[in-house]
Amino acid sequence: MENEQHEPPGQPRTKLAIGAQSGEAHRQDGEGSGDAPVAEASPVAAKEGSAAAPYLNLLVTMVMFGSAFASSKVVVGEMPHEVAAALRFGGGGLLLIILATVFRGSSRPIGRAAAVRAGLVGLLGVLAYNIFFFWGLSLAPSLDGSIIVPVLSPILTTATVILLGRERATWARIAGLAVGATGALLFFLGIGGDAAGSTQLIGDLIFVAGAACWAAYSILSKSLLAGVDPLRATAWGTGIGGLGLTLLAVPAVADVSWQSVSGPAWANVIFLAVGPTAIAYLFYYRGLRSVSPSTATIMMFTVPVFGSFSSTLFLGESFTGIQLIGTLIMLGGALFAVLGNRPLRQLRGSRFRSTA
């Protein structure tokens, strides 16, 4: 939730230079040759394809982030959650370090002080967050986590920066926070059957703690890692956090029956390290070079959609009708809490331009 105060930290500030290569189209007379004429390349079509690339990158990222919940649930079903977290971010951190090394020629070097700050932030956003993330998955359905974490994180982030005076509090944003909190309460009240007194409620509350960790991670990284190359900063943070998770997992390694871990579980471990961790971050940074943070935030709210779909399709999980209503209310509140009334202003502006 493998998010720009609300997205993963250290987003690039430079725009991606988008260029389309053009070539001359060779046309044949076709007299008696029977050859079909060669279509001339359209510069407009090439430009549109290039403009769509950042959104496709972000869409792939959101699919990866959403699928991580169900995939992680499969892994924690066959090994302690500490070991599952260490395998995902130990491998993912290593891959990110490799990516940072490969792309070092196109990125700014990171100094020792910045590396230390990135490591400290990683202890919060990778180590602490994933302790709660995988612990919650061991107690509650992945469907709950895919709703609670990506929706509550921006709500908590927005509330914090408003209370700290870093952003202006508008009535639209305050109303969004209130609506989002109401939706979250309704979601918890909608836990069906005897689950309220069982591990599901405990797991959901642990997901809330994870969302709080990610919110703090987003806020601190914005100030501590300003001006630092995002890929290198994330590689350092993920590497340090993954090392911490590995050390915490050492006592639990003895409890793992490695021979009984199934092939699908190992496949999910590999997928988590490669997809939602390494590839997702790389695609995210590519997308952010040409897309505004507010647009990326809106796309982040598709994570619950992909997460719910994965949990339902692959694990057969479901939630109650009250939880569904609470989810929709929470999503609506989160959008207004993060964006305020900007979407309405943009809609009015587009209507004015269309009638001008």
Side-chain angles (χ1 to χ4, degrees):
M1 301 267 22
E2 322 242 342
N3 44 327
E4 188 226 276
Q5 98 200 33
H6 312 298
E7 293 88 26
Q11 66 199 48
R13 302 296 181 188
T14 58
K15 294 288 184 181
L16 178 64
I18 301 177
Q21 295 181 344
S22 60
E24 294 184 357
H26 300 281
R27 287 192 290 260
Q28 300 178 354
D29 292 337
E31 257 182 73
S33 63
D35 292 339
V38 180
E40 185 172 346
S42 170
V44 176
K47 184 176 181 181
E48 289 178 351
S50 299
Y55 297 94
L56 292 176
N57 286 331
L58 288 175
L59 184 62
V60 171
T61 301
M62 302 313 155
V63 173
M64 293 287 186
F65 283 166
S67 63
F69 291 89
S71 185
S72 299
K73 181 69 174 180
V74 173
V75 179
V76 298
E78 300 199 22
M79 63 182 68
H81 61 86
E82 301 94 339
V83 177
L87 288 175
R88 174 185 173 180
F89 281 89
L94 179 61
L95 287 174
L96 281 170
I97 291 173
I98 294 174
L99 286 174
T101 303
V102 170
F103 292 103
R104 66 182 182 277
S106 59
S107 61
R108 299 184 304 275
I110 184 171
R112 181 179 300 176
V116 171
R117 294 197 303 271
L120 292 175
V121 171
L123 291 177
L124 177 63
V126 177
L127 175 62
Y129 166 73
N130 282 285
I131 289 175
F132 291 119
F133 174 80
F134 280 90
W135 186 12
L137 282 174
S138 68
L139 299 172
S142 64
L143 187 61
D144 290 12
S146 67
I147 298 296
I148 294 171
V149 176
V151 178
L152 273 188
S153 293
I155 291 178
L156 294 174
T157 304
T158 302
T160 302
V161 295
I162 288 177
L163 290 175
L164 293 176
R166 296 188 182 182
E167 292 190 5
R168 192 163 59 95
T170 64
W171 284 111
R173 301 186 78 181
I174 293 175
L177 290 172
V179 171
T182 302
L185 178 62
L186 192 62
F187 182 90
F188 282 104
L189 292 177
I191 296 177
D194 298 328
S198 68
T199 61
Q200 182 176 355
L201 180 58
I202 298 174
D204 285 354
L205 293 175
I206 292 173
F207 283 138
V208 174
C213 283
W214 188 263
Y217 172 53
S218 301
I219 296 169
L220 290 176
S221 64
K222 190 175 181 68
S223 57
L224 292 178
L225 301 179
V228 181
D229 179 75
L231 181 56
R232 294 196 180 198
T234 305
W236 273 95
T238 306
I240 296 298
L243 179 61
L245 290 170
T246 301
L247 294 175
L248 287 178
V250 170
V253 170
D255 298 330
V256 181
S257 177
W258 298 105
Q259 296 82 2
S260 62
V261 177
S262 66
W266 283 118
N268 278 279
V269 168
I270 296 172
F271 168 74
L272 287 168
V274 176
T277 306
I279 292 179
Y281 273 103
L282 180 61
F283 275 50
Y284 196 81
Y285 294 138
R286 285 182 174 179
L288 281 179
R289 289 174 179 174
S290 301
V291 173
S292 67
S294 61
T295 301
T297 300
I298 294 175
M299 295 193 71
M300 185 67 76
F301 288 124
T302 63
V303 172
V305 177
F306 295 121
S308 301
F309 177 79
S310 298
S311 298
T312 303
L313 178 64
F314 297 111
L315 302 180
E317 296 179 351
S318 62
F319 45 37
T320 65
I322 295 178
Q323 283 184 302
L324 178 59
I325 295 173
T327 298
L328 296 176
I329 294 175
M330 194 162 40
L331 276 170
L335 277 171
F336 273 96
V338 173
L339 302 176
N341 57 1
R342 274 180 288 175
L344 297 178
R345 290 202 304 267
Q346 292 173 356
L347 180 61
R348 287 197 294 266
S350 63
R351 286 180 176 176
F352 175 78
R353 287 190 299 270
S354 63
T355 55

